[in-house]
Amino acid sequence: MNTVLTQPRPIRLKGRSFLALALSPELPVDDWLARLDDLAARSAGFFLRKPIVLDLANLDIGQAELRDLLAKLAARNVRIMGIEGARASLLAPDLPPALTDGKGTSDIEIPPAEETAAPVPAASPAPAGPAPVQARAHASLVLNQPVRSGQSLYHADGDVTVIGSVASGSEVVAGGSIHVYGALRGRAMAGTMGNATARIFCRKLEAELIAIDGFYKTAEDLEPGLRGKAVQIWLEGETIKVAALS
C-alpha cells in the first residue's frame, strides 16, 4: 500500500477596507437612545445593512453597562461590528472586537426634529376641494462648488447635485440619487435611506468607493475600461451595475 503525500495548499488572506458608521454614545445613555430612536423614526432604514462601530472614547461605563447598551442597540437592529476607544479590561471574548486606527471623516450631525407650531384657527371654513400636495422641504440639494478633500456632504432627504468635482478623500452621502458634473474621485453613497432605485451619475469616474442602498464597490472592483468615463451606476438585485453614458 502506497502512501501519497500531497503538498498542503496555503490559505490566502486578503486585506479589505470597508466604510462604517461610528456611533458615539453620551451620558445619560437613555437620553442618547431616545435621540437615536427619533433619528430612526424620521429616517427609516438609516441603519439598514450598515456596519456600525461603537466609539466609547468619551463614555465611562463598566462592562455590565456596555452589555446592556449592546443589547438595547441590537433590539433596535443596530449591528455593532467592533468597539473603538474602550479599555482592554472592558472587553470580553463574547463582545465585539476592539478596533484601532480607524480613518475618520467629517462628523455627520443629524438635526433634531423641528417642533410643530400650534395651528391658528381659520376665520372661516375653506371651500371644499382637493387637498394640495406639499413638496417635501429640501427634497434635493444643489452644490455650486466642488467637494474638497476631507469634506463630507450629507443629505438624507433626497438627491444631491454637485456642480463640480468630488475630490479624493471626500464623500457625498444622499438619501436619493447623486449627480456629479465633474470628476468623481472620492466616495459616493446613494440611496442610504433604503432607496434601492437611487442612481449615481458622473462625468468622469475615478471613485474610491461607490454605494447604493448599502451595497458597495471599491476602486479595485471597478472595470478598468470605465475609469475616466461618464457613467451611470445603479443597483440590480444585490449587484452594483456600472455603464458608460453614450
Side-chain angles (χ1 to χ4, degrees):
M1 179 177 180
N2 295 328
T3 301
V4 179
L5 298 178
T6 59
Q7 185 72 20
R9 298 181 62 184
I11 297 176
R12 177 172 296 179
L13 302 178
K14 295 183 178 181
R16 285 289 186 271
S17 177
F18 295 95
L19 186 70
L21 293 175
L23 284 179
S24 300
E26 301 171 357
L27 294 174
V29 172
D30 286 341
D31 290 350
W32 179 81
L33 287 170
R35 299 201 302 272
L36 196 72
D37 290 338
D38 175 70
L39 169 61
R42 291 186 289 121
S43 303
F46 187 85
F47 297 107
L48 185 65
R49 290 196 300 271
K50 291 184 176 65
I52 309 294
V53 173
L54 195 62
D55 183 3
L56 301 181
N58 298 316
L59 189 66
D60 186 15
I61 59 175
Q63 192 176 97
E65 290 83 2
L66 174 59
R67 291 182 183 276
D68 182 63
L69 174 59
L70 291 171
K72 290 178 177 178
L73 289 172
R76 291 166 168 81
N77 295 318
V78 178
R79 299 178 294 179
I80 302 299
M81 64 172 286
I83 298 177
E84 187 178 19
R87 305 184 308 272
S89 59
L90 193 61
L91 302 179
D94 61 324
L95 294 178
L99 298 178
T100 58
D101 301 326
K103 182 181 179 182
T105 61
S106 300
D107 291 346
I108 298 173
E109 293 189 2
I110 311 298
E114 296 181 359
E115 295 182 0
T116 304
V120 178
S124 60
V133 178
Q134 294 184 349
R136 189 174 182 180
H138 308 297
S140 56
L141 175 68
V142 177
L143 185 69
N144 292 304
Q145 60 187 24
V147 182
R148 292 180 169 81
S149 181
Q151 291 183 321
S152 179
L153 177 62
Y154 179 83
H155 184 64
D157 293 331
D159 296 354
V160 170
T161 299
V162 180
I163 311 299
S165 298
V166 177
S168 176
S170 66
E171 65 181 9
V172 177
V173 183
S177 297
I178 295 174
H179 307 257
V180 180
Y181 289 92
L184 172 56
R185 299 188 177 95
R187 299 179 294 274
M189 290 161 278
T192 56
M193 297 297 106
N195 182 3
T197 64
R199 297 197 174 205
I200 299 172
F201 302 87
C202 68
R203 282 191 173 175
K204 188 176 182 181
L205 178 64
E206 296 178 353
E208 299 168 352
L209 179 144
I210 53 175
I212 297 177
D213 192 22
F215 294 94
Y216 297 87
K217 251 190 180 182
T218 62
E220 293 79 9
D221 300 324
L222 296 173
E223 295 181 24
L226 293 173
R227 296 197 66 84
K229 301 289 184 64
V231 302
Q232 67 166 320
I233 303 160
W234 71 97
L235 186 64
E236 196 171 289
E238 296 185 354
T239 303
I240 295 284
K241 298 288 187 177
V242 184
L245 291 171
S246 57

